[in-house]
Amino acid sequence: MADPVFDHLEETIRGTATPAEMRGWGRDNLVLDRVAGWNSDNLKIGAWATELRAAMLEGNGARCELLRALVHARMEHEAAGRWGGIECCGRVYPVWNLAGRLVLYRFGLALGWGETAEMLRQWLRAAGAALALASGDGPGRRILDHRIGEAEAERGAAIRGDGELVTWWDPFVAWAGDRGGQRVGKPGPEFGRWQYLEECGPSELLVHLLGLETETRRLAWMEFGRWLRALDEAAPAPDAPMGCTAAEVEVLRRARANEPAALLEAASYLWRPAVPFRILRTSAGVAMVCEQARGSSTACLDACAWWQGGRTAFLSGDPGWREPGGTGRVRPGRAVLEGWTVRAEREGREPVALELPAGETFLDVRFGPEGVTVLLPVAPVGPVVPVPDPPPAGPGGPGASPKPRRRRGLCGWLRRVFGG
């Protein structure tokens, strides 16, 4: 899906387009009197970033301050457990969802936004933590055939990938959630195939966040790297270029190696999204579960998983047909995790299930509007005092065991941070 704001985002960042051109690209989403309730957060926030850049080029300080107040209100709204709208974690638009906030953060720093810029940074850090915690240590495999027969056109599916390694999406990120995938509905050779499953846009974000560009293959058309390079030239932020400081990036690297203390600290970065998610890291792989499907125009991925060796799997209780006109094919529902089996349920449909990577559990974290709960690893014995963020600068392979050992405990100190 093309969108003018993101098609021209590099020109916007570099300031090579006129303010009038920028406003033309964002006009369909540029409404400055609403904070919440839109279906497409990334388009709205991208339009805000475009308008901010236009106002900066004009030297319009009053307009910049209006944007700052709007962004501040939005960040407060999301910090209260309403992060992400329908695009929270979903596989279709993760690059857009992060890019708009990143542009606001970097130019906000240049404008001295203080507390507002710090809130944007913490949102970016939360997204980075989710990316790292949900990632494998290698690429995923191609799905050889993910069509569904005509007799199954109105039921959900569990799709598995066990073909060749797709090395340009490396490392694979097990990213579930609303706007997770859809099937091709136009007649032709691709009819009935699921889109957005082999594509792993979150991988590109994680590569740049952790500095893995020299360790993994990229394709020329991938766009986030171009936007980041443009920001590095137009609005440098050497201390936290993607929202994480060098020390926090190191924590995320260690968390991906399943170091218990780093897993706990990375989990403390998470914000509270509008629906509950679960991330599990085991000796066999990694999985993300979206426990509530709200029903968007594209199907919710109830679960996504990656196994050591690159095998992947995707679960959706929806049949995947896009629903622009209210056909009832995309419905709200839930995902229930019982042991290592996750079951996707929708009203009026037969449930579908998927086995997750079973093994020794290194991390089991649930984060939702009510707070963040780390079930594993167990919190350290004795009081733990998290290091607070600095004050703002100014005002303003298959599983090995069907019954693995799973220890449970509560990382209670996270409640102080998140109010869960």
Side-chain angles (χ1 to χ4, degrees):
M1 175 182 175
D3 179 80
V5 163
F6 293 98
D7 286 346
H8 299 282
L9 188 58
E10 185 175 357
E11 298 168 63
T12 296
I13 293 168
R14 295 186 182 278
T16 56
T18 67
E21 288 173 319
M22 294 179 188
R23 292 193 173 99
W25 299 330
R27 65 180 180 273
D28 291 339
N29 292 287
L30 188 60
V31 175
L32 299 183
D33 60 352
R34 298 175 67 181
V35 171
W38 286 29
N39 282 339
S40 188
D41 287 343
N42 57 46
L43 298 182
K44 171 181 61 178
I45 291 172
W48 293 356
T50 299
E51 172 62 20
L52 176 66
R53 188 66 171 126
M56 291 175 67
L57 292 174
E58 295 169 332
N60 188 336
R63 190 71 165 172
C64 290
E65 175 56 25
L66 173 64
L67 265 295
R68 188 209 62 77
L70 185 70
V71 171
H72 191 97
R74 177 70 201 191
M75 290 296 99
E76 288 183 326
H77 173 80
E78 296 191 356
R82 294 181 287 270
W83 159 40
I86 61 173
E87 279 118 14
C88 176
C89 297
R91 296 181 65 83
V92 180
Y93 299 121
V95 174
W96 288 3
N97 210 15
L98 189 142
R101 290 174 176 84
L102 180 62
V103 173
L104 288 168
Y105 163 65
R106 296 282 285 267
F107 283 113
L109 286 180
L111 291 168
W113 278 10
E115 183 182 356
T116 305
E118 178 60 18
M119 294 173 72
L120 284 161
R121 189 191 80 80
Q122 291 189 24
W123 186 98
L124 294 165
R125 184 179 66 172
L131 288 166
L133 293 175
S135 65
D137 58 9
R141 292 188 174 273
R142 187 178 299 281
I143 301 169
L144 298 180
D145 184 7
H146 47 100
R147 295 176 188 270
I148 298 177
E150 292 184 7
E152 301 177 309
E154 295 302 330
R155 62 172 299 193
I159 306 297
R160 294 171 176 82
D162 54 6
E164 64 178 309
L165 289 171
V166 185
T167 55
W168 49 88
W169 297 118
D170 177 13
F172 184 88
V173 180
W175 216 230
D178 291 322
R179 286 199 183 274
Q182 68 185 49
R183 290 166 67 189
V184 179
K186 296 180 181 179
E190 293 295 301
F191 179 80
R193 291 181 65 87
W194 285 72
Q195 297 175 290
Y196 309 118
L197 299 190
E198 289 175 350
E199 299 174 6
C200 190
S203 171
E204 186 180 8
L205 299 173
L206 189 62
V207 162
H208 290 289
L209 174 62
L210 300 185
L212 304 177
E213 293 91 337
T214 60
E215 303 173 25
T216 184
R217 179 183 170 195
R218 300 287 99 186
L219 299 180
W221 54 264
M222 292 184 181
E223 54 199 354
F224 187 82
R226 299 199 306 272
W227 299 340
L228 189 57
R229 288 191 293 272
L231 278 169
D232 287 341
E233 296 173 15
D239 292 338
M242 282 184 62
C244 292
T245 65
E248 291 163 348
V249 168
E250 183 58 28
V251 168
L252 299 184
R253 285 179 172 272
R254 300 200 323 266
R256 293 184 67 239
N258 296 318
E259 181 183 308
L263 289 169
L264 282 172
E265 184 170 352
S268 76
Y269 300 163
L270 294 169
W271 275 28
R272 296 181 288 160
V275 299
F277 288 83
R278 191 101 164 249
I279 296 176
L280 298 102
R281 298 183 63 84
T282 77
S283 56
V286 61
M288 177 185 279
V289 178
C290 178
E291 296 183 344
Q292 179 184 343
R294 289 172 289 180
S296 67
S297 61
T298 46
C300 175
L301 276 188
D302 298 81
C304 181
W306 175 92
W307 281 257
Q308 297 289 343
R311 184 163 65 92
T312 58
F314 311 85
L315 178 71
S316 179
D318 292 311
W321 303 111
R322 188 170 177 89
E323 181 175 2
T327 63
R329 286 173 162 170
V330 179
R331 302 174 186 173
R334 64 173 187 164
V336 179
L337 181 61
E338 297 176 344
W340 295 105
T341 301
V342 58
R343 184 178 69 254
E345 300 176 347
R346 300 290 188 276
E347 183 179 357
R349 289 203 180 106
E350 180 183 350
V352 289
L354 177 71
E355 293 293 317
L356 300 181
E360 180 183 2
T361 305
F362 304 124
L363 176 70
D364 184 347
V365 59
R366 186 177 188 268
F367 56 112
E370 75 286 355
V372 178
T373 302
V374 177
L375 302 174
L376 223 166
V378 178
V381 176
V384 176
V385 181
V387 177
D389 290 304
S401 171
K403 294 182 179 180
R405 175 169 60 93
R406 296 186 69 181
R407 301 163 293 169
R408 291 188 179 273
L410 176 64
C411 185
W413 57 265
L414 284 170
R415 293 185 179 275
R416 188 182 73 80
V417 181
F418 296 100

